[in-house]
């Protein structure tokens, strides 16, 4: 009898041990699945870069802001020959009219005299010198082009008039001060140089500032950020001490 009891107890103990091992295996496999489900930090992915401050809050490259295409290529000197040709022509015109004192009407008349004279002589002498006469293209300005130009000018003028009206009604003191300051600076510049020189300086700025900024924007933007923060601090102090004490017009904020 004792041998039978021992034989029956042995398989019971082995069965209990198998059940414990199975439970242990199930718990370990479930813990492994949970760890696998947890997202692992990827070593290859770099951390997100902090947002870079840009002038005027721009989010697009300079080439796209300038309109893209050929005009942006010219201003950013992507096509160096064309950019140099345009800037050289504008410089020659400025030297001709501003430095040498040539008048516009005189220049146009002399240019037409020379051009018409050369074409007239060439057309009549072509039969004697056995050469083909000049091919003079027929030039005509389309009505659609002139209408589009007129509509664009009209739109810009109306937008400027609306902006001036908004400033004159006193809705934004900050815009009023900025516009007054710009007009004051322009009046000083206009009294010290001629209109043609001012236009030429604008051309120089158009062909240099975008190019230099596009090339050194990583160095310019941090400096511009510091300058903007300083200006905001000074403006907040000026607004608190001066502008906020200016009484507003009666009934200005009342809605009809």
């Amino acid at each position: 009898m004792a041998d039978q009891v021992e034989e029956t107890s042995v398989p019971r103990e082995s069965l209990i041990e198998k059940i414990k091992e199975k439970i242990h295996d199930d718990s370990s496999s479930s813990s492994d699945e949970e760890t696998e489900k947890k997202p692992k930090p990827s070593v290859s992915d770099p951390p997100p870069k902090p947002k870079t401050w840009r002038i005027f809050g721009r989010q697009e490259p300079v080439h796209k802001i300038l309109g893209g295409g050929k005009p942006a290529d010219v201003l950013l000197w992507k096509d160096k020959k064309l950019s140099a040709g345009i800037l050289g022509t504008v410089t020659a015109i400025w030297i001709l009219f501003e430095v040498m004192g040539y008048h516009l009407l005189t220049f146009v008349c002399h240019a037409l005299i020379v051009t018409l004279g050369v074409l007239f002589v060439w057309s009549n002498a072509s039969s004697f010198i056995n050469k083909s006469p000049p091919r003079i293209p027929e030039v005509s300005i389309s009505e659609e082009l002139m209408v589009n130009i007129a509509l664009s000018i009209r739109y810009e003028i109306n937008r400027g008039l609306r902006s001036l009206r908004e400033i004159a009604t006193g809705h934004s003191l900050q815009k009023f001060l900025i516009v007054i300051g710009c007009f004051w600076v322009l009046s000083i510049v206009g009294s010290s140089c001629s209109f043609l020189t001012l236009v030429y300086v604008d051309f120089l700025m158009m062909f240099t500032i975008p190019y230099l900024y596009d090339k050194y924007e990583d160095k310019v933007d941090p400096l511009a950020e510091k300058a903007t923060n300083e200006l905001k601090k000074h403006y907040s102090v000026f607004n608190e001490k001066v502008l906020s004490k200016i009484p507003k017009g009666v009934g200005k904020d009342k809605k009809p």
Side-chain angles (χ1 to χ4, degrees):
M1 291 293 293
D3 295 336
Q4 292 179 355
V5 172
E6 287 180 359
E7 290 178 357
T8 54
S9 62
V10 171
R12 285 181 183 177
E13 291 178 357
S14 61
L15 181 62
I16 292 172
E17 289 178 358
K18 288 181 180 180
I19 293 173
K20 287 182 179 179
E21 289 179 357
K22 186 167 182 59
I23 293 172
H24 179 70
D25 293 338
D26 292 338
S27 62
S28 61
S29 62
S30 62
S31 62
D32 293 338
E33 290 179 357
E34 289 179 357
T35 54
E36 288 178 358
K37 289 180 181 179
K38 291 182 180 179
K40 296 181 181 180
S42 59
V43 181
S44 60
D45 295 338
K49 295 182 180 180
K51 191 176 181 180
T52 306
W53 189 92
R54 298 296 184 188
I55 293 179
F56 305 120
R58 68 177 182 87
Q59 301 295 331
E60 297 176 344
V62 181
H63 188 273
K64 192 173 182 179
I65 291 176
L66 294 176
K70 204 68 176 177
D73 292 341
V74 171
L75 294 177
L76 295 177
W77 291 79
K78 303 293 184 182
D79 190 347
K80 295 183 179 180
K81 292 183 179 180
L82 183 59
S83 301
I86 294 175
L87 188 58
T89 302
V90 174
T91 303
I93 293 174
W94 177 76
I95 293 174
L96 186 66
F97 291 108
E98 187 67 23
V99 179
M100 299 178 62
Y102 217 60
H103 297 286
L104 179 61
L105 182 60
T106 306
F107 173 75
V108 172
C109 292
H110 287 176
L112 289 175
I113 289 171
V114 172
T115 304
L116 291 176
V118 170
L119 293 176
F120 180 80
V121 172
W122 188 358
S123 298
N124 288 278
S126 60
S127 58
F128 298 100
I129 59 178
N130 295 324
K131 287 188 177 182
S132 60
R135 295 180 180 179
I136 303 173
E138 184 178 354
V139 181
S140 61
I141 301 175
S142 64
E143 182 181 356
E144 183 181 0
L145 176 62
M146 296 303 298
V147 169
N148 290 333
I149 293 174
L151 291 176
S152 299
I153 295 174
R154 173 180 171 272
Y155 173 76
E156 294 297 333
I157 291 175
N158 288 336
R159 189 174 68 169
L161 292 175
R162 284 195 299 267
S163 300
L164 292 176
R165 181 183 180 278
E166 182 182 358
I167 293 170
T169 52
H171 291 295
S172 177
L173 183 60
Q174 183 179 4
K175 290 183 179 179
F176 171 76
L177 295 176
I178 292 174
V179 171
I180 293 299
C182 291
F183 284 154
W184 179 66
V185 172
L186 284 176
S187 65
I188 295 175
V189 174
S191 62
S192 60
C193 64
S194 63
F195 178 74
L196 185 60
T197 302
L198 183 61
V199 173
Y200 178 64
V201 171
D202 291 339
F203 261 94
L204 288 179
M205 293 173 64
M206 287 170 56
F207 276 82
T208 53
I209 292 178
Y211 170 74
L212 294 175
Y213 175 70
D214 183 59
K215 190 175 182 180
Y216 302 105
E217 61 178 344
D218 294 334
K219 297 180 181 179
V220 173
D221 286 337
L223 298 177
E225 183 180 8
K226 293 180 182 179
T228 303
N229 293 333
E230 290 296 326
L231 288 175
K232 286 181 179 179
K233 290 179 182 178
H234 291 299
Y235 176 77
S236 61
V237 173
F238 180 73
N239 184 30
E240 182 181 357
K241 293 184 178 181
V242 179
L243 300 181
S244 60
K245 297 180 181 179
I246 298 177
K248 296 182 178 180
V250 179
K252 173 184 169 183
D253 298 330
K254 291 182 179 181
K255 295 182 178 179

